[in-house]
Amino acid sequence: MKFSSTALFLSAMVGSASAFAPIATPSTKSSSSSSSSSSALNLAVGEMAPDFALVDQNGKTVQRSAIKKPLVVYFYPADSTPGCTVQAESFDARIQEIRKEFGAEVVGISGQDVASKQKFAQELGLQFSILADEGDAVRKAFDVPKALLGLFPGRVTYVLDKTGVCQLVYNELGNAASHVDKAAEKLAELKPAKKAAGANPFA
């Protein structure tokens, strides 16, 4: 009887979460707990991110250490799912701002193969690379936590500075659209301050 009750509880949890569907507004608890969740991750703020080389939707190999600019690395559960579609579209809508305003780049990573990446990118017309992490080797290297009692891959965004050092870890499965906002906030903080007009260059 106890086993039956547990099974019903898990079933209800999965059903109510709608798998990877986004939630319109994150709860206060979710937002405030993101930093504490981050501390449980292997890659923490101030640490060098693992290097990786993965193939994107265009057949191009993208190597983390070869990107000499701030980099947003976001891990998402799966291609073509509702929440992951919202997340990809939100990053794509601001990709030009991220590149021009912050001099940064974005890559998305999940465990599906290159063919899946091609299909997903074509469906949305994505202007940035989504990378095929078959076998989840890079996800494991970053030690990205699973979500919903360990039933699903987690949705976590990392912002790295131009040297590859982690500056932000944002762990939020439900509100997929919030990831680009958090990333942009951190990129704005990393942006070098402009010198005032007429300032003494030797000061």
Side-chain angles (χ1 to χ4, degrees), residues 30-40 169:
S30 177
S31 297
S32 63
S33 64
S34 63
S35 60
S36 61
S37 297
S38 300
S39 65
V169 183

Side-chain angles (χ1 to χ4, degrees), residues 3 29 86 91 100 114 164 188:
F3 174 78
K29 179 180 179 182
V86 168
F91 271 107
K100 294 177 181 179
V114 173

Side-chain angles (χ1 to χ4, degrees), residues 86-107:
V86 168
Q87 186 176 23
E89 288 178 330
S90 64
F91 271 107
D92 198 67
R94 298 182 67 177
I95 191 62
Q96 296 307 320
E97 173 195 356
I98 288 171
R99 287 170 176 164
K100 294 177 181 179
E101 182 70 17
F102 306 124
E105 192 52 77
V106 174
V107 295

Side-chain angles (χ1 to χ4, degrees), residues 181-201:
D181 296 328
K182 293 295 183 181
E185 288 173 9
K186 179 52 64 175
L187 289 171
E189 293 177 14
L190 296 177
K191 185 179 177 181
K194 291 183 178 180
K195 289 187 177 182
N200 183 353

